[in-house]
Amino acid sequence: MGRKAKAESSELANRSVEEPLFYQVVGQKAACFYLRRAIENQRVAHAYLFTGQAGIGKSAIALDFAAALLCEKFDSDSGHAPCRTCVQCQLTARLQHPDLHIVAPIPGKAAVRRMEEARKASGSENAEEKPVSATTQAEDYAEVPITEIVDKKLLEAIAEKAQDPYVPVLLHFPVLLLRSLSILIEQIRILIKQTYRMPFQARRKVFILFHADRMNINTQNAFLKVLEEPPPHTHFLLACEGEGTLLPTIRSRCQPITLPPLLETDIEEALQKRKPELGESVPLIARLAGGNFWQAMELARIDWKALQALAVGYLAECARLDPSELEKFYEKLLSEEFGGYRIALGTLQLFIDDVAILKAERQIGKDMHLILSHQGCRDRAEKLLNIFQAADPERALQALQTACDSLERGYTPNSVLTALSFRLHHALGPKQDTKSTAKHSETAQRKGKVRNNDITS
Ligand SMILES: [Zn+2]
């Protein structure tokens, strides 16, 4: 790495952290700044451990950092790596650089054996009796050994990661296999051999371990040997959601980079750039994404106008509390088309927040110029407030939280939503219609869908 003039260094420190080093990264300015400084000061550690919840950019930062380490400009002009134009940069961008090694969890031998058995079973006459783990998406590869399919899936996952580092690397494996995926000791043995080979094209080798916490103790001990005495020009970038299962000896040999959930403003800014067509839905998506950019990109696929209309229709129906009409909403509110119950309940929650804002404005008699979550739906929120004159938003929000907890615990969705409708009816406070309430209660109980304590508590 070449020496730099002091003035140049300070100019670099003042430069926006997003460009050109961490151009893929959303937010995470503190971590980006720290790593930029490490490059500028020629103090790049041989191992980093990136931790934090899913979708916050651990892979994006690790991949951009790897690009800088492999770029031709890194040793000649540290301030301008990665240049994004040299051969090394182009290979890294496709995640095809021979000195960039990616290690990710795969199914273990036992899981592969189960998959082989499942495939045999699926080919037999009793296809219906095949184990559930047969959903390997392996139909396209009739006679291909499972291990080859796994390799292919991993390559597909890495290729997708090259397109968008926020796509989860495990997405290509069937959900049923997710728990059994781990970094195997065989993968670490291969990694160790690779570390002792000279770099092919760049001046150093970079090893990225996705889900590094998915190593058992033996595998970690094998990895520890190379981490303790790494060959020169070798860098390890470990990424995982929780470091709890990593040995203290591994953690202590890595520079820790703990990433917080993304700020809503960071997600909004990134969504506006990537998906300008989302328009007024951007702040709503950013709020519901929970600091997870991958989640935000998934939410961007939802038809928000339709979901907002559904949510308002449901809340209005809660005022009337007609069981047969309410039931028509339940299936849609729970559907994957609208992102599942968490998103539906979150959407309702933000509508109630908006109603609370409008209610406060009416009480003080002036516009507080607060930004509603459902921008563009102010008239709808006004109508809701007209229906629910005596709204108690706090109580309504509690009801939504209770419903979410009950669904998490696996209660029957219809019974949870029936109880929720009751609670919202009372919390949002339309004129009490005891006749209707009693009718609904009787009907629901006759159907055995609602437990007494669900309604009354
Ligand atoms: Zn370059």
Side-chain angles (χ1 to χ4, degrees):
M1 202 185 307
R3 288 254 166 228
K4 302 179 308 302
K6 262 191 173 178
E8 191 188 348
S9 172
S10 92
E11 183 266 318
L12 284 168
N14 290 331
R15 203 165 57 189
S16 161
V17 293
E18 290 96 345
E19 295 290 346
L21 176 47
F22 293 108
Y23 86 122
Q24 305 191 90
V25 179
V26 175
Q28 304 297 3
K29 291 185 170 55
C32 293
F33 185 75
Y34 174 80
L35 293 170
R36 176 185 291 283
R37 289 293 295 274
I39 292 175
E40 287 169 4
N41 297 333
Q42 305 175 32
R43 294 180 70 86
V44 174
H46 79 272
Y48 289 88
L49 173 60
F50 300 92
T51 54
Q53 69 172 52
I56 55 171
K58 301 182 291 292
S59 307
I61 294 182
L63 291 172
D64 275 348
F65 194 55
L69 297 176
L70 295 170
C71 172
E72 285 168 9
K73 294 272 178 95
F74 184 86
D75 297 276
S76 59
D77 182 353
S78 67
H80 295 93
C83 67
R84 308 286 182 190
T85 54
C86 71
V87 177
Q88 317 300 335
C89 280
Q90 286 173 26
L91 286 168
T92 310
R94 295 197 295 272
L95 300 190
Q96 289 173 352
H97 197 294
D99 296 314
L100 174 65
H101 300 270
I102 292 180
V103 182
I106 55 173
K109 279 179 191 159
V112 168
R113 206 165 43 243
R114 280 201 303 276
M115 287 157 76
E116 291 283 11
E117 285 166 9
R119 188 158 67 167
K120 278 181 200 158
S122 70
S124 72
E125 286 175 12
N126 298 324
E128 300 91 319
E129 288 174 27
K130 65 187 177 188
V132 280
S133 60
T135 54
T136 54
Q137 304 165 5
E139 293 77 9
D140 302 340
Y141 310 91
E143 297 304 319
V144 183
I146 295 286
T147 46
E148 279 182 33
I149 295 170
V150 168
D151 288 346
K152 191 173 164 58
K153 291 287 168 201
L154 200 55
L155 285 175
E156 283 172 10
I158 290 170
E160 198 155 3
K161 205 80 172 152
Q163 295 293 318
D164 182 353
Y166 287 88
V167 177
V169 73
L170 302 184
L171 198 68
H172 281 253
F173 291 101
V175 175
L176 288 165
L177 273 182
L178 287 185
R179 281 192 177 187
S180 70
L181 298 176
S182 57
I183 294 176
L184 309 177
I185 196 160
E186 291 83 358
Q187 291 172 279
I188 294 300
R189 286 184 185 133
I190 293 170
L191 175 150
I192 292 171
K193 274 188 196 164
Q194 286 163 335
T195 61
Y196 289 105
R197 290 190 190 136
M198 289 304 287
F200 285 100
Q201 269 186 248
R203 298 207 178 175
R204 49 190 59 75
K205 282 175 166 283
V206 180
F207 295 82
I208 300 181
L209 284 78
F210 291 126
H211 298 277
D213 53 339
R214 288 188 179 227
M215 286 191 275
N216 67 23
I217 298 293
N218 287 342
T219 310
Q220 289 190 47
N221 277 320
F223 178 58
L224 189 58
K225 283 176 193 149
V226 74
L227 194 62
E228 280 172 331
E229 290 178 42
H233 312 303
T234 306
H235 296 276
F236 299 102
L237 309 179
L238 284 66
C240 62
E241 287 180 30
E243 55 183 329
T245 55
L246 283 177
L247 293 171
T249 39
I250 286 193
R251 295 201 300 256
S252 66
R253 281 168 177 79
C254 299
Q255 287 281 331
I257 309 276
T258 307
L259 304 175
L262 291 172
L263 300 173
E264 281 176 22
T265 47
D266 289 331
I267 294 182
E268 277 184 33
E269 198 181 312
L271 279 179
Q272 275 154 0
K273 272 188 208 157
R274 287 202 194 191
K275 305 247 172 202
E277 69 277 11
L278 290 172
E280 290 181 322
S281 305
V282 165
L284 179 63
I285 295 172
R287 282 197 184 180
L288 289 170
N292 176 331
F293 188 64
W294 164 247
Q295 170 79 345
M297 291 296 284
E298 286 295 283
L299 294 180
R301 299 167 195 263
I302 291 176
D303 180 348
W304 283 98
K305 286 207 168 96
L307 178 54
Q308 285 168 325
L310 183 73
V312 171
Y314 167 69
L315 287 173
E317 196 54 51
C318 284
R320 300 200 311 139
L321 210 63
D322 179 336
S324 56
E325 285 303 312
L326 277 167
E327 278 190 17
K328 290 177 189 167
F329 286 93
Y330 297 164
E331 195 182 333
K332 281 194 171 177
L333 284 172
L334 296 164
S335 78
E336 283 306 314
E337 177 194 354
F338 292 130
Y341 68 85
R342 286 193 194 88
I343 300 308
L345 296 182
T347 305
L348 290 169
Q349 181 196 340
L350 294 179
F351 256 122
I352 289 165
D353 281 342
D354 289 349
V355 168
I357 290 176
L358 296 180
K359 189 179 178 193
E361 284 184 346
R362 276 195 197 176
Q363 280 169 347
I364 61 168
K366 67 173 181 182
D367 187 347
M368 296 194 290
H369 301 289
L370 291 171
I371 296 169
L372 300 184
S373 297
H374 290 275
Q375 287 180 23
C377 289
R378 195 180 181 92
D379 53 338
R380 281 180 170 159
E382 296 268 10
K383 276 181 197 161
L384 280 178
L385 183 56
N386 290 337
I387 297 170
F388 298 110
Q389 297 278 342
D392 180 351
E394 278 302 314
R395 212 172 137 201
L397 293 175
Q398 274 172 15
L400 285 164
Q401 188 57 53
T402 305
C404 203
D405 293 344
S406 301
L407 290 168
E408 296 278 349
R409 289 204 296 271
Y411 283 95
T412 321
N414 264 34
S415 70
V416 172
L417 290 185
T418 305
L420 173 67
S421 303
F422 263 95
R423 292 190 178 122
L424 289 177
H425 177 78
H426 292 295
L428 294 172
K431 280 179 189 167
Q432 288 296 313
D433 179 357
T434 47
K435 222 177 175 180
S436 157
T437 308
K439 185 182 152 203
H440 189 180
S441 173
E442 269 173 32
T443 317
Q445 284 186 46
R446 201 167 51 242
K447 289 181 182 175
K449 284 182 175 172
V450 182
R451 299 181 314 167
N452 278 338
N453 58 352
D454 269 341
I455 300 169
T456 52
S457 62

